[in-house]
Amino acid sequence: MLRELPSQTAGPYVHIGLLPVVAGIPFEPERDWGAMVGPGVHGERIRIEGTVFDGVGAPVKDAVLELWQPDAAGRFPGHDPGADPAFKGFGRVAADLSTGLFAFETVKPGRVPYPDGRLQAPHATLLIFARGINIHLHTRIYFEDEAAANAEDPVLALIEQPERRRTLSARRELRDGRVVYRFDVKIQGPEETVFFDV
Amino acid sequence: MENATRAFRPRDRAWHPPAFFPDYKTSVYRAPRLPLVSLGATRSELTAPVFGHSMIRATDNDLLVNGRVDGDPIGPRMILFGRVLDEEGRPVPNVLIELWQANAAGRYRHVNDSYLAPLDPNFWGVGRTLSEPDGSYRFRTIRPGPYPWRNRVNDWRPAHIHISLWGAALCQRLITQLYFEGDPLLALCPIYNSIPDPAARERLVARLDMGESLPHDTLAWRFDIVLRGPRQTFFENRPEGA
């Protein structure tokens, strides 16, 4: 049996490879890696925004984040028949180099089954890469207004301390009539975000 | 069903660098302190974005050409090639391989890099490709230079190329770095040495391959990539271009 390659940090210049335009390189400038939705997309359009904070509470301004989720009906693009053709399921964005704020424009994901057939609560998977992160961080974004679904979610139930589950709950707000979910990530500290080993 | 046929061995976290590695100072405040929560993969982790050949342009894997303005980039020309395999040794096709690197002087084309070494007007240092049906891949580039970085007072990164990999399942996602055989800076590098097992570190070292080198033209370096593999069955064939 072979073993997978060991991970190494993505480093401070990760944008060159993953989001060249952010680094200042016109390698395919027309590609918008953050554009997850097209015209006519089904479901509730939402914005997910937040900041990754390090152990001293400073924003991680050089992070690159990737989001993967099903469409509004719980179908994964490229995998499930009938998946919404106006929805990509995948987004990649950089934290703002001066503020650390990141944002995805997407739709509220539908529910997908757990291996035993129970339904998981709506969620998106978030991967975080940055200088100083030796192996990427893997977390999930849930939605605070899905209380009933969250209460029966088999993955949230794996988190031993119920108090920690709320670190995965995005806060819903309305801004100029648009739905914005706030999801901050805290790498360390009393409110340390739950990260997964899959 | 997918869930019945795809299963991954647990990722051996002791094979990977620990999140907290004090010789690499930035990791001290960017490392989670609480245990990771173990999660058996669900469809959210067993699926992944599908990247089709339609997104790959002819010069995307040719860094000697893709950033060219008025001449060739400066530095030792090199071919980087190898295969993408899973842990069972099976080729993995359609893996999105993205890479980035410094130029021959050790300078990145990035708004945040202020090293005094010069930029190369004909070199961007970014490339990408998809692995072929037999798992093979190939790039042309120049060999990157070492450079100093702010960690301990006189830390230098060995020459390296960053590699990002998207396989068929999110739980195979990996970003790592490739190094060069015989580099004396490897022994001194806290990032390379954050990997605890010497056998694991060796896996990141590309080997000179004279058989693939082009006489009077370009040296070749072989680097085989292994992703986590499903332990029972092959991946389904994935549709392209979605």
Side-chain angles (χ1 to χ4, degrees), chain A residues 99-133:
Chain A
T99 67
L101 187 72
F102 68 84
F104 293 95
E105 300 289 341
T106 182
V107 295
K108 184 95 166 278
R111 301 181 72 171
V112 298
Y114 195 63
D116 64 8
R118 284 182 288 166
L119 283 177
Q120 302 183 63
H123 67 275
T125 296
L126 182 70
L127 305 181
I128 302 167
F129 304 88
R131 175 175 64 99
I133 294 178

PDB file of all heavy atoms in Angstrom, chain A residues 99-133:
ATOM      1  N   THR A  99      -8.263  43.550   5.300  1.00  0.00           N
ATOM      2  CA  THR A  99      -9.179  43.413   6.441  1.00  0.00           C
ATOM      3  C   THR A  99      -9.359  41.975   6.920  1.00  0.00           C
ATOM      4  O   THR A  99      -9.760  41.741   8.060  1.00  0.00           O
ATOM      5  CB  THR A  99     -10.589  43.945   6.082  1.00  0.00           C
ATOM      6  OG1 THR A  99     -11.156  43.089   5.080  1.00  0.00           O
ATOM      7  CG2 THR A  99     -10.530  45.366   5.571  1.00  0.00           C
ATOM      8  N   GLY A 100      -9.135  41.022   6.047  1.00  0.00           N
ATOM      9  CA  GLY A 100      -9.351  39.617   6.405  1.00  0.00           C
ATOM     10  C   GLY A 100     -10.764  39.127   6.143  1.00  0.00           C
ATOM     11  O   GLY A 100     -11.047  37.945   6.332  1.00  0.00           O
ATOM     12  N   LEU A 101     -11.672  40.008   5.708  1.00  0.00           N
ATOM     13  CA  LEU A 101     -13.055  39.581   5.464  1.00  0.00           C
ATOM     14  C   LEU A 101     -13.132  38.700   4.214  1.00  0.00           C
ATOM     15  O   LEU A 101     -12.529  39.008   3.190  1.00  0.00           O
ATOM     16  CB  LEU A 101     -13.963  40.805   5.292  1.00  0.00           C
ATOM     17  CG  LEU A 101     -15.456  40.496   5.202  1.00  0.00           C
ATOM     18  CD1 LEU A 101     -16.020  40.075   6.555  1.00  0.00           C
ATOM     19  CD2 LEU A 101     -16.232  41.706   4.668  1.00  0.00           C
ATOM     20  N   PHE A 102     -13.883  37.602   4.313  1.00  0.00           N
ATOM     21  CA  PHE A 102     -14.148  36.775   3.130  1.00  0.00           C
ATOM     22  C   PHE A 102     -15.645  36.713   2.899  1.00  0.00           C
ATOM     23  O   PHE A 102     -16.429  36.954   3.823  1.00  0.00           O
ATOM     24  CB  PHE A 102     -13.569  35.362   3.295  1.00  0.00           C
ATOM     25  CG  PHE A 102     -14.259  34.528   4.333  1.00  0.00           C
ATOM     26  CD1 PHE A 102     -15.424  33.820   4.030  1.00  0.00           C
ATOM     27  CD2 PHE A 102     -13.758  34.433   5.622  1.00  0.00           C
ATOM     28  CE1 PHE A 102     -16.073  33.053   4.996  1.00  0.00           C
ATOM     29  CE2 PHE A 102     -14.403  33.657   6.594  1.00  0.00           C
ATOM     30  CZ  PHE A 102     -15.562  32.971   6.275  1.00  0.00           C
ATOM     31  N   ALA A 103     -16.051  36.397   1.685  1.00  0.00           N
ATOM     32  CA  ALA A 103     -17.481  36.295   1.383  1.00  0.00           C
ATOM     33  C   ALA A 103     -17.720  35.365   0.206  1.00  0.00           C
ATOM     34  O   ALA A 103     -16.972  35.375  -0.774  1.00  0.00           O
ATOM     35  CB  ALA A 103     -18.063  37.683   1.079  1.00  0.00           C
ATOM     36  N   PHE A 104     -18.751  34.542   0.336  1.00  0.00           N
ATOM     37  CA  PHE A 104     -19.217  33.689  -0.757  1.00  0.00           C
ATOM     38  C   PHE A 104     -20.644  34.093  -1.107  1.00  0.00           C
ATOM     39  O   PHE A 104     -21.466  34.325  -0.216  1.00  0.00           O
ATOM     40  CB  PHE A 104     -19.253  32.218  -0.327  1.00  0.00           C
ATOM     41  CG  PHE A 104     -17.904  31.602  -0.070  1.00  0.00           C
ATOM     42  CD1 PHE A 104     -17.385  31.556   1.219  1.00  0.00           C
ATOM     43  CD2 PHE A 104     -17.161  31.056  -1.102  1.00  0.00           C
ATOM     44  CE1 PHE A 104     -16.151  30.969   1.469  1.00  0.00           C
ATOM     45  CE2 PHE A 104     -15.921  30.465  -0.860  1.00  0.00           C
ATOM     46  CZ  PHE A 104     -15.417  30.427   0.426  1.00  0.00           C
ATOM     47  N   GLU A 105     -20.940  34.141  -2.404  1.00  0.00           N
ATOM     48  CA  GLU A 105     -22.314  34.339  -2.865  1.00  0.00           C
ATOM     49  C   GLU A 105     -22.820  32.981  -3.314  1.00  0.00           C
ATOM     50  O   GLU A 105     -22.316  32.394  -4.273  1.00  0.00           O
ATOM     51  CB  GLU A 105     -22.371  35.336  -4.028  1.00  0.00           C
ATOM     52  CG  GLU A 105     -21.843  36.716  -3.684  1.00  0.00           C
ATOM     53  CD  GLU A 105     -22.755  37.510  -2.753  1.00  0.00           C
ATOM     54  OE1 GLU A 105     -23.957  37.153  -2.659  1.00  0.00           O
ATOM     55  OE2 GLU A 105     -22.264  38.475  -2.127  1.00  0.00           O
ATOM     56  N   THR A 106     -23.833  32.468  -2.622  1.00  0.00           N
ATOM     57  CA  THR A 106     -24.255  31.096  -2.898  1.00  0.00           C
ATOM     58  C   THR A 106     -25.758  30.964  -2.668  1.00  0.00           C
ATOM     59  O   THR A 106     -26.474  31.971  -2.706  1.00  0.00           O
ATOM     60  CB  THR A 106     -23.426  30.117  -2.009  1.00  0.00           C
ATOM     61  OG1 THR A 106     -23.793  28.776  -2.313  1.00  0.00           O
ATOM     62  CG2 THR A 106     -23.601  30.381  -0.523  1.00  0.00           C
ATOM     63  N   VAL A 107     -26.240  29.745  -2.524  1.00  0.00           N
ATOM     64  CA  VAL A 107     -27.632  29.510  -2.141  1.00  0.00           C
ATOM     65  C   VAL A 107     -27.631  28.700  -0.857  1.00  0.00           C
ATOM     66  O   VAL A 107     -26.669  28.015  -0.538  1.00  0.00           O
ATOM     67  CB  VAL A 107     -28.431  28.750  -3.227  1.00  0.00           C
ATOM     68  CG1 VAL A 107     -28.554  29.578  -4.498  1.00  0.00           C
ATOM     69  CG2 VAL A 107     -27.830  27.383  -3.515  1.00  0.00           C
ATOM     70  N   LYS A 108     -28.719  28.779  -0.162  1.00  0.00           N
ATOM     71  CA  LYS A 108     -28.876  27.952   1.033  1.00  0.00           C
ATOM     72  C   LYS A 108     -28.903  26.495   0.592  1.00  0.00           C
ATOM     73  O   LYS A 108     -29.702  26.102  -0.250  1.00  0.00           O
ATOM     74  CB  LYS A 108     -30.196  28.328   1.718  1.00  0.00           C
ATOM     75  CG  LYS A 108     -30.470  27.627   3.025  1.00  0.00           C
ATOM     76  CD  LYS A 108     -30.011  28.491   4.180  1.00  0.00           C
ATOM     77  CE  LYS A 108     -30.560  27.984   5.514  1.00  0.00           C
ATOM     78  NZ  LYS A 108     -31.948  28.468   5.714  1.00  0.00           N
ATOM     79  N   PRO A 109     -27.991  25.662   1.123  1.00  0.00           N
ATOM     80  CA  PRO A 109     -27.937  24.270   0.653  1.00  0.00           C
ATOM     81  C   PRO A 109     -29.126  23.453   1.138  1.00  0.00           C
ATOM     82  O   PRO A 109     -29.685  23.715   2.204  1.00  0.00           O
ATOM     83  CB  PRO A 109     -26.628  23.754   1.273  1.00  0.00           C
ATOM     84  CG  PRO A 109     -26.344  24.660   2.433  1.00  0.00           C
ATOM     85  CD  PRO A 109     -26.958  25.985   2.102  1.00  0.00           C
ATOM     86  N   GLY A 110     -29.480  22.441   0.346  1.00  0.00           N
ATOM     87  CA  GLY A 110     -30.495  21.483   0.772  1.00  0.00           C
ATOM     88  C   GLY A 110     -29.891  20.419   1.670  1.00  0.00           C
ATOM     89  O   GLY A 110     -28.688  20.397   1.925  1.00  0.00           O
ATOM     90  N   ARG A 111     -30.758  19.524   2.138  1.00  0.00           N
ATOM     91  CA  ARG A 111     -30.285  18.483   3.058  1.00  0.00           C
ATOM     92  C   ARG A 111     -29.786  17.276   2.278  1.00  0.00           C
ATOM     93  O   ARG A 111     -30.325  16.927   1.235  1.00  0.00           O
ATOM     94  CB  ARG A 111     -31.420  18.076   3.998  1.00  0.00           C
ATOM     95  CG  ARG A 111     -31.932  19.254   4.818  1.00  0.00           C
ATOM     96  CD  ARG A 111     -33.041  18.863   5.777  1.00  0.00           C
ATOM     97  NE  ARG A 111     -32.536  18.070   6.901  1.00  0.00           N
ATOM     98  CZ  ARG A 111     -33.270  17.748   7.976  1.00  0.00           C
ATOM     99  NH1 ARG A 111     -34.533  18.146   8.050  1.00  0.00           N
ATOM    100  NH2 ARG A 111     -32.746  17.032   8.952  1.00  0.00           N
ATOM    101  N   VAL A 112     -28.752  16.665   2.785  1.00  0.00           N
ATOM    102  CA  VAL A 112     -28.218  15.445   2.165  1.00  0.00           C
ATOM    103  C   VAL A 112     -28.168  14.349   3.225  1.00  0.00           C
ATOM    104  O   VAL A 112     -28.047  14.635   4.411  1.00  0.00           O
ATOM    105  CB  VAL A 112     -26.821  15.664   1.544  1.00  0.00           C
ATOM    106  CG1 VAL A 112     -26.889  16.706   0.440  1.00  0.00           C
ATOM    107  CG2 VAL A 112     -25.801  16.073   2.593  1.00  0.00           C
ATOM    108  N   PRO A 113     -28.252  13.090   2.779  1.00  0.00           N
ATOM    109  CA  PRO A 113     -28.315  12.011   3.765  1.00  0.00           C
ATOM    110  C   PRO A 113     -26.975  11.725   4.437  1.00  0.00           C
ATOM    111  O   PRO A 113     -25.913  11.924   3.857  1.00  0.00           O
ATOM    112  CB  PRO A 113     -28.774  10.800   2.944  1.00  0.00           C
ATOM    113  CG  PRO A 113     -28.442  11.128   1.533  1.00  0.00           C
ATOM    114  CD  PRO A 113     -28.460  12.621   1.404  1.00  0.00           C
ATOM    115  N   TYR A 114     -27.076  11.260   5.635  1.00  0.00           N
ATOM    116  CA  TYR A 114     -25.965  10.653   6.362  1.00  0.00           C
ATOM    117  C   TYR A 114     -25.892   9.200   5.890  1.00  0.00           C
ATOM    118  O   TYR A 114     -26.870   8.682   5.341  1.00  0.00           O
ATOM    119  CB  TYR A 114     -26.288  10.750   7.864  1.00  0.00           C
ATOM    120  CG  TYR A 114     -25.136  10.517   8.799  1.00  0.00           C
ATOM    121  CD1 TYR A 114     -24.032  11.362   8.801  1.00  0.00           C
ATOM    122  CD2 TYR A 114     -25.164   9.443   9.709  1.00  0.00           C
ATOM    123  CE1 TYR A 114     -22.973  11.154   9.680  1.00  0.00           C
ATOM    124  CE2 TYR A 114     -24.112   9.233  10.598  1.00  0.00           C
ATOM    125  CZ  TYR A 114     -23.017  10.084  10.569  1.00  0.00           C
ATOM    126  OH  TYR A 114     -21.985   9.874  11.438  1.00  0.00           O
ATOM    127  N   PRO A 115     -24.734   8.539   6.035  1.00  0.00           N
ATOM    128  CA  PRO A 115     -24.639   7.156   5.516  1.00  0.00           C
ATOM    129  C   PRO A 115     -25.743   6.213   6.001  1.00  0.00           C
ATOM    130  O   PRO A 115     -26.128   5.293   5.276  1.00  0.00           O
ATOM    131  CB  PRO A 115     -23.266   6.704   6.013  1.00  0.00           C
ATOM    132  CG  PRO A 115     -22.458   7.966   6.067  1.00  0.00           C
ATOM    133  CD  PRO A 115     -23.426   9.038   6.494  1.00  0.00           C
ATOM    134  N   ASP A 116     -26.298   6.452   7.177  1.00  0.00           N
ATOM    135  CA  ASP A 116     -27.345   5.535   7.662  1.00  0.00           C
ATOM    136  C   ASP A 116     -28.738   5.925   7.173  1.00  0.00           C
ATOM    137  O   ASP A 116     -29.728   5.310   7.554  1.00  0.00           O
ATOM    138  CB  ASP A 116     -27.325   5.464   9.198  1.00  0.00           C
ATOM    139  CG  ASP A 116     -27.677   6.794   9.862  1.00  0.00           C
ATOM    140  OD1 ASP A 116     -28.082   7.746   9.150  1.00  0.00           O
ATOM    141  OD2 ASP A 116     -27.549   6.890  11.096  1.00  0.00           O
ATOM    142  N   GLY A 117     -28.829   6.947   6.321  1.00  0.00           N
ATOM    143  CA  GLY A 117     -30.110   7.310   5.742  1.00  0.00           C
ATOM    144  C   GLY A 117     -30.789   8.495   6.405  1.00  0.00           C
ATOM    145  O   GLY A 117     -31.659   9.119   5.807  1.00  0.00           O
ATOM    146  N   ARG A 118     -30.395   8.806   7.633  1.00  0.00           N
ATOM    147  CA  ARG A 118     -30.949  10.016   8.249  1.00  0.00           C
ATOM    148  C   ARG A 118     -30.511  11.238   7.450  1.00  0.00           C
ATOM    149  O   ARG A 118     -29.465  11.232   6.807  1.00  0.00           O
ATOM    150  CB  ARG A 118     -30.432  10.156   9.682  1.00  0.00           C
ATOM    151  CG  ARG A 118     -31.088   9.230  10.678  1.00  0.00           C
ATOM    152  CD  ARG A 118     -30.531   9.481  12.066  1.00  0.00           C
ATOM    153  NE  ARG A 118     -29.152   8.995  12.185  1.00  0.00           N
ATOM    154  CZ  ARG A 118     -28.321   9.322  13.185  1.00  0.00           C
ATOM    155  NH1 ARG A 118     -28.717  10.163  14.131  1.00  0.00           N
ATOM    156  NH2 ARG A 118     -27.102   8.830  13.230  1.00  0.00           N
ATOM    157  N   LEU A 119     -31.295  12.293   7.537  1.00  0.00           N
ATOM    158  CA  LEU A 119     -30.915  13.510   6.826  1.00  0.00           C
ATOM    159  C   LEU A 119     -30.008  14.373   7.695  1.00  0.00           C
ATOM    160  O   LEU A 119     -30.240  14.530   8.895  1.00  0.00           O
ATOM    161  CB  LEU A 119     -32.154  14.320   6.448  1.00  0.00           C
ATOM    162  CG  LEU A 119     -32.946  13.810   5.240  1.00  0.00           C
ATOM    163  CD1 LEU A 119     -34.186  14.684   5.045  1.00  0.00           C
ATOM    164  CD2 LEU A 119     -32.089  13.810   3.982  1.00  0.00           C
ATOM    165  N   GLN A 120     -28.971  14.924   7.058  1.00  0.00           N
ATOM    166  CA  GLN A 120     -28.153  15.922   7.743  1.00  0.00           C
ATOM    167  C   GLN A 120     -28.852  17.278   7.626  1.00  0.00           C
ATOM    168  O   GLN A 120     -29.620  17.524   6.696  1.00  0.00           O
ATOM    169  CB  GLN A 120     -26.778  16.004   7.103  1.00  0.00           C
ATOM    170  CG  GLN A 120     -26.024  14.674   7.105  1.00  0.00           C
ATOM    171  CD  GLN A 120     -24.631  14.813   6.532  1.00  0.00           C
ATOM    172  OE1 GLN A 120     -23.798  15.519   7.068  1.00  0.00           O
ATOM    173  NE2 GLN A 120     -24.372  14.124   5.428  1.00  0.00           N
ATOM    174  N   ALA A 121     -28.559  18.149   8.551  1.00  0.00           N
ATOM    175  CA  ALA A 121     -29.060  19.523   8.453  1.00  0.00           C
ATOM    176  C   ALA A 121     -28.342  20.234   7.303  1.00  0.00           C
ATOM    177  O   ALA A 121     -27.245  19.846   6.909  1.00  0.00           O
ATOM    178  CB  ALA A 121     -28.805  20.256   9.775  1.00  0.00           C
ATOM    179  N   PRO A 122     -28.963  21.276   6.746  1.00  0.00           N
ATOM    180  CA  PRO A 122     -28.278  22.026   5.679  1.00  0.00           C
ATOM    181  C   PRO A 122     -26.913  22.511   6.162  1.00  0.00           C
ATOM    182  O   PRO A 122     -26.796  23.044   7.266  1.00  0.00           O
ATOM    183  CB  PRO A 122     -29.219  23.212   5.424  1.00  0.00           C
ATOM    184  CG  PRO A 122     -30.559  22.745   5.886  1.00  0.00           C
ATOM    185  CD  PRO A 122     -30.283  21.831   7.057  1.00  0.00           C
ATOM    186  N   HIS A 123     -25.908  22.289   5.332  1.00  0.00           N
ATOM    187  CA  HIS A 123     -24.563  22.719   5.715  1.00  0.00           C
ATOM    188  C   HIS A 123     -23.705  22.858   4.473  1.00  0.00           C
ATOM    189  O   HIS A 123     -24.011  22.285   3.419  1.00  0.00           O
ATOM    190  CB  HIS A 123     -23.914  21.717   6.680  1.00  0.00           C
ATOM    191  CG  HIS A 123     -23.617  20.390   6.042  1.00  0.00           C
ATOM    192  ND1 HIS A 123     -24.564  19.389   5.960  1.00  0.00           N
ATOM    193  CD2 HIS A 123     -22.510  19.908   5.419  1.00  0.00           C
ATOM    194  CE1 HIS A 123     -24.038  18.344   5.336  1.00  0.00           C
ATOM    195  NE2 HIS A 123     -22.797  18.631   4.980  1.00  0.00           N
ATOM    196  N   ALA A 124     -22.634  23.597   4.611  1.00  0.00           N
ATOM    197  CA  ALA A 124     -21.603  23.703   3.580  1.00  0.00           C
ATOM    198  C   ALA A 124     -20.279  23.349   4.231  1.00  0.00           C
ATOM    199  O   ALA A 124     -20.069  23.601   5.414  1.00  0.00           O
ATOM    200  CB  ALA A 124     -21.557  25.125   3.008  1.00  0.00           C
ATOM    201  N   THR A 125     -19.391  22.751   3.460  1.00  0.00           N
ATOM    202  CA  THR A 125     -18.065  22.413   3.972  1.00  0.00           C
ATOM    203  C   THR A 125     -17.106  23.556   3.640  1.00  0.00           C
ATOM    204  O   THR A 125     -17.089  24.048   2.510  1.00  0.00           O
ATOM    205  CB  THR A 125     -17.554  21.111   3.343  1.00  0.00           C
ATOM    206  OG1 THR A 125     -18.424  20.056   3.742  1.00  0.00           O
ATOM    207  CG2 THR A 125     -16.132  20.796   3.809  1.00  0.00           C
ATOM    208  N   LEU A 126     -16.316  23.960   4.625  1.00  0.00           N
ATOM    209  CA  LEU A 126     -15.367  25.052   4.443  1.00  0.00           C
ATOM    210  C   LEU A 126     -13.956  24.540   4.717  1.00  0.00           C
ATOM    211  O   LEU A 126     -13.695  23.963   5.778  1.00  0.00           O
ATOM    212  CB  LEU A 126     -15.704  26.201   5.409  1.00  0.00           C
ATOM    213  CG  LEU A 126     -14.831  27.444   5.303  1.00  0.00           C
ATOM    214  CD1 LEU A 126     -15.101  28.194   3.999  1.00  0.00           C
ATOM    215  CD2 LEU A 126     -15.084  28.376   6.505  1.00  0.00           C
ATOM    216  N   LEU A 127     -13.070  24.754   3.760  1.00  0.00           N
ATOM    217  CA  LEU A 127     -11.654  24.412   3.925  1.00  0.00           C
ATOM    218  C   LEU A 127     -10.854  25.706   4.002  1.00  0.00           C
ATOM    219  O   LEU A 127     -11.120  26.656   3.257  1.00  0.00           O
ATOM    220  CB  LEU A 127     -11.148  23.573   2.751  1.00  0.00           C
ATOM    221  CG  LEU A 127     -11.918  22.283   2.439  1.00  0.00           C
ATOM    222  CD1 LEU A 127     -11.271  21.562   1.249  1.00  0.00           C
ATOM    223  CD2 LEU A 127     -11.969  21.361   3.645  1.00  0.00           C
ATOM    224  N   ILE A 128      -9.866  25.733   4.894  1.00  0.00           N
ATOM    225  CA  ILE A 128      -9.094  26.960   5.120  1.00  0.00           C
ATOM    226  C   ILE A 128      -7.610  26.657   4.933  1.00  0.00           C
ATOM    227  O   ILE A 128      -7.069  25.726   5.542  1.00  0.00           O
ATOM    228  CB  ILE A 128      -9.342  27.496   6.541  1.00  0.00           C
ATOM    229  CG1 ILE A 128     -10.836  27.757   6.747  1.00  0.00           C
ATOM    230  CG2 ILE A 128      -8.514  28.771   6.788  1.00  0.00           C
ATOM    231  CD1 ILE A 128     -11.224  27.976   8.204  1.00  0.00           C
ATOM    232  N   PHE A 129      -6.967  27.476   4.106  1.00  0.00           N
ATOM    233  CA  PHE A 129      -5.544  27.348   3.817  1.00  0.00           C
ATOM    234  C   PHE A 129      -4.874  28.679   4.137  1.00  0.00           C
ATOM    235  O   PHE A 129      -5.401  29.740   3.801  1.00  0.00           O
ATOM    236  CB  PHE A 129      -5.307  27.058   2.330  1.00  0.00           C
ATOM    237  CG  PHE A 129      -6.024  25.831   1.833  1.00  0.00           C
ATOM    238  CD1 PHE A 129      -7.322  25.907   1.355  1.00  0.00           C
ATOM    239  CD2 PHE A 129      -5.404  24.589   1.860  1.00  0.00           C
ATOM    240  CE1 PHE A 129      -7.991  24.779   0.901  1.00  0.00           C
ATOM    241  CE2 PHE A 129      -6.057  23.449   1.409  1.00  0.00           C
ATOM    242  CZ  PHE A 129      -7.351  23.549   0.931  1.00  0.00           C
ATOM    243  N   ALA A 130      -3.687  28.622   4.736  1.00  0.00           N
ATOM    244  CA  ALA A 130      -2.944  29.862   4.978  1.00  0.00           C
ATOM    245  C   ALA A 130      -1.533  29.531   5.460  1.00  0.00           C
ATOM    246  O   ALA A 130      -1.257  28.415   5.923  1.00  0.00           O
ATOM    247  CB  ALA A 130      -3.639  30.741   6.023  1.00  0.00           C
ATOM    248  N   ARG A 131      -0.694  30.516   5.369  1.00  0.00           N
ATOM    249  CA  ARG A 131       0.605  30.502   6.026  1.00  0.00           C
ATOM    250  C   ARG A 131       0.416  30.094   7.492  1.00  0.00           C
ATOM    251  O   ARG A 131      -0.517  30.554   8.160  1.00  0.00           O
ATOM    252  CB  ARG A 131       1.171  31.923   5.948  1.00  0.00           C
ATOM    253  CG  ARG A 131       2.447  32.193   6.655  1.00  0.00           C
ATOM    254  CD  ARG A 131       2.884  33.630   6.349  1.00  0.00           C
ATOM    255  NE  ARG A 131       1.942  34.619   6.878  1.00  0.00           N
ATOM    256  CZ  ARG A 131       2.102  35.283   8.022  1.00  0.00           C
ATOM    257  NH1 ARG A 131       3.159  35.086   8.757  1.00  0.00           N
ATOM    258  NH2 ARG A 131       1.199  36.156   8.410  1.00  0.00           N
ATOM    259  N   GLY A 132       1.284  29.249   7.995  1.00  0.00           N
ATOM    260  CA  GLY A 132       1.183  28.843   9.395  1.00  0.00           C
ATOM    261  C   GLY A 132       0.201  27.713   9.650  1.00  0.00           C
ATOM    262  O   GLY A 132       0.143  27.190  10.758  1.00  0.00           O
ATOM    263  N   ILE A 133      -0.578  27.350   8.636  1.00  0.00           N
ATOM    264  CA  ILE A 133      -1.503  26.216   8.755  1.00  0.00           C
ATOM    265  C   ILE A 133      -0.851  25.051   8.009  1.00  0.00           C
ATOM    266  O   ILE A 133      -0.752  25.074   6.781  1.00  0.00           O
ATOM    267  CB  ILE A 133      -2.891  26.574   8.191  1.00  0.00           C
ATOM    268  CG1 ILE A 133      -3.530  27.661   9.063  1.00  0.00           C
ATOM    269  CG2 ILE A 133      -3.782  25.338   8.127  1.00  0.00           C
ATOM    270  CD1 ILE A 133      -4.886  28.136   8.583  1.00  0.00           C
TER     271      ILE A 133
END
